[in-house]
Amino acid sequence: MTSYIHPNPNKRATAESLFKSIDPLRLMAQLPIQSHHNFADFQCADGHFTIPIAKHLFSGTVYASDPLAKNLKDMKERVIRSRLSNLVIQTEKQQTKNIPKGTLDGILIPFLLHSSTNRKELLTKSFKLIKKGSWVGILEWFDKKTADGPPVSQRIGVAEVVKLGEEVGFRFPLKRILDDQHYVVILRK
């Protein structure tokens, strides 16, 4: 399992422990997702969010990618065990080749924006991949000290996410609080 920054320098948090602190059904209830949607998860990790979403999107397709090859390998094993035929696993580079512009109904970007070297580029890429009226969900930690997550100095606050989204062309931002550590911002094209 891949390790991520933990606020305690003597500990390392795994993607599994960070993602599992959020119930996927609770997250899905906050997203404007429907069973026929074509959807992408830009950091699938072990599939904690991706597998339940793919089960919900029984008439749609889910494109799952992750920056780390090991996570993609683990995800493939989980997909085989889950017997899902609507899930496409791909590398980040394959995203632009395999997903035609303007075809997705929704994208989830969990815990990736704060660590991106070019946040605006990530949102611009997302903007190009979704249809008009579709959405991108940004899942992040609040920009305050919490039990898990990266140091506060590396986090991105709700206002900054909304500002970046508006600079790229998104509109109608919705802000949702998932729990005392996490929020989701839904940006519409």
Side-chain angles (χ1 to χ4, degrees):
M1 186 58 57
T2 307
S3 62
Y4 290 84
I5 297 169
H6 191 281
N8 180 339
N10 299 322
K11 288 176 139 184
R12 294 298 283 178
T14 63
E16 180 177 315
S17 69
L18 295 177
F19 281 58
K20 295 215 185 217
S21 67
I22 299 171
D23 178 4
L25 297 179
R26 182 178 175 127
L27 174 63
M28 285 170 53
Q30 301 298 320
L31 299 174
I33 194 165
Q34 297 179 22
S35 61
H36 64 276
H37 277 176
N38 291 319
F39 177 85
D41 182 348
F42 279 1
Q43 182 162 302
C44 63
D46 69 345
H48 180 70
F49 300 131
T50 317
I51 300 280
I53 289 171
K55 287 178 180 179
H56 179 75
L57 298 178
F58 53 86
S59 295
T61 302
V62 176
Y63 298 91
S65 61
D66 196 274
L68 302 169
K70 182 181 181 334
N71 286 346
L72 294 177
K73 182 180 177 233
D74 293 346
M75 179 69 175
K76 284 179 186 174
E77 292 170 8
R78 287 197 66 203
V79 168
I80 291 168
R81 287 193 308 267
S82 300
R83 297 182 181 181
L84 291 168
S85 60
N86 65 335
L87 213 149
V88 178
I89 299 168
Q90 57 192 4
T91 64
E92 284 182 292
K93 289 180 183 174
Q94 291 172 322
Q95 280 174 354
T96 20
K97 293 178 187 172
N98 295 345
I99 305 173
K101 291 179 182 176
T103 59
L104 293 177
D105 298 293
I107 296 174
L108 179 63
I109 304 175
F111 307 121
L112 186 60
L113 194 61
H114 78 273
S115 63
S116 177
T117 54
N118 193 337
R119 295 171 176 173
K120 200 169 187 177
E121 183 180 298
L122 177 61
L123 290 179
T124 300
K125 177 172 117 177
S126 302
F127 187 84
K128 290 177 182 176
L129 290 174
I130 62 173
K131 299 174 187 175
K132 185 174 182 175
S134 295
W135 55 273
V136 172
I138 311 292
L139 175 62
E140 283 290 345
W141 290 276
F142 282 110
D143 54 350
K144 63 180 184 179
K145 188 172 172 79
T146 57
D148 289 318
V152 176
S153 63
Q154 294 179 6
R155 298 180 189 201
I156 182 169
V158 173
E160 190 177 348
V161 171
V162 169
K163 182 179 176 217
L164 278 169
E166 289 173 343
E167 287 174 7
V168 168
F170 286 104
R171 48 199 178 113
F172 310 122
L174 294 172
K175 300 160 236 169
R176 307 273 171 89
I177 297 171
L178 289 177
D179 55 35
D180 61 341
Q181 298 187 78
H182 308 101
Y183 66 87
V184 64
V185 171
I186 300 164
L187 302 168
R188 290 235 178 228
K189 183 172 184 178

